[in-house]
Amino acid sequence: MIIAIDGPAASGKGTLARRLAAHFNLPHLDTGLLYRATARALLDQGAKLDDAEKAVSSARGLALLDFDEDRLRGREMGEAASVVAAIREVRAALIDMQRAFAARKNGAVLDGRDIGTVIAPDADVKIFVTASPEARAQRRALELRGRGEKVDYAAILEDIVKRDRRDSERADAPLKPAADAHVLDTTDLNVEAAFAAALAMVEAARV
Ligand code: DC
């Protein structure tokens, strides 16, 4: 069974994807990490984020080791990843790896922006997780505070709105629900309620 989870920044899709993967004993790929690691490689080389040539070779050169770092989850890298992710050739360089993951024998859970639309259009179930920008900013603020980062709610909200716009308006694989996705709005749901709703969607797709 392939479960595709998409949604905007800080919608809770990562938490849901992890929980669903644990529940169904499936491997999970957080595809945002691929773009974050590509952005980090560029920044570490002192290259510009819109340097398509260097971005593609960074994307191609990713190794598992590259995902094991706290810095990838920070605010700076989310923003940088969104810039790099708008480069068509970077997305192309990362497609095979993601499709191979989705094609694992017993299936997989993938979360990102274009899983249901581009990476796994034949997924057994697609969930588009969303929430109001304010709810997402509040969650992101809590998460960053928990990681010991200094938090400025207004700046986080501004980031989220900017990132939504960039991710939704890019020409290649923009953020949008697949035509056959179930939309799950978690604005007024806690983690448990969101998980229960997602589980019900997956169970319904299995029968
Ligand atoms: O899910 P995230 O916040 O870790 O993603 C960081 C950025 O990477 C996001 O703003 C856009 C990009 N991304 C993408 O374009 N496609 C994906 N499947 C996953 C992430």
Side-chain angles (χ1 to χ4, degrees), residues 42-108:
L42 280 169
L43 293 173
D44 286 352
Q45 290 168 57
K48 289 213 183 113
L49 290 170
D50 61 358
D51 183 331
E53 207 173 304
K54 286 212 175 88
V56 169
S57 61
S58 299
R60 289 210 180 108
L62 291 180
L64 273 184
L65 210 66
D66 294 334
F67 307 112
D68 188 22
E69 204 195 279
D70 215 35
R71 189 178 147 218
L72 283 185
R73 310 255 178 208
R75 203 183 127 196
E76 177 206 20
M77 222 48 79
E79 175 63 20
S82 166
V83 175
V84 164
I87 303 174
R88 177 185 298 272
E89 296 87 345
V90 168
R91 307 198 69 83
L94 295 172
I95 278 190
D96 288 351
M97 185 196 276
Q98 296 174 80
R99 288 201 173 140
F101 194 93
R104 287 186 177 200
K105 197 163 135 255
N106 295 322

Side-chain angles (χ1 to χ4, degrees), residues 6-10 13 30-33 35-36 77-79 81-83 85-86 91 98 111-115 119 140 163 166-167 170 173:
D6 289 301
K13 63 185 185 313
D30 169 355
T31 63
L33 283 180
Y35 295 93
R36 287 171 181 258
M77 222 48 79
E79 175 63 20
S82 166
V83 175
R91 307 198 69 83
Q98 296 174 80
D111 77 85
R113 301 289 185 292
D114 63 341
I115 308 304
I119 302 299
R140 184 47 57 88
R163 198 128 74 88
R166 192 187 296 109
D167 293 345
R170 67 178 178 228

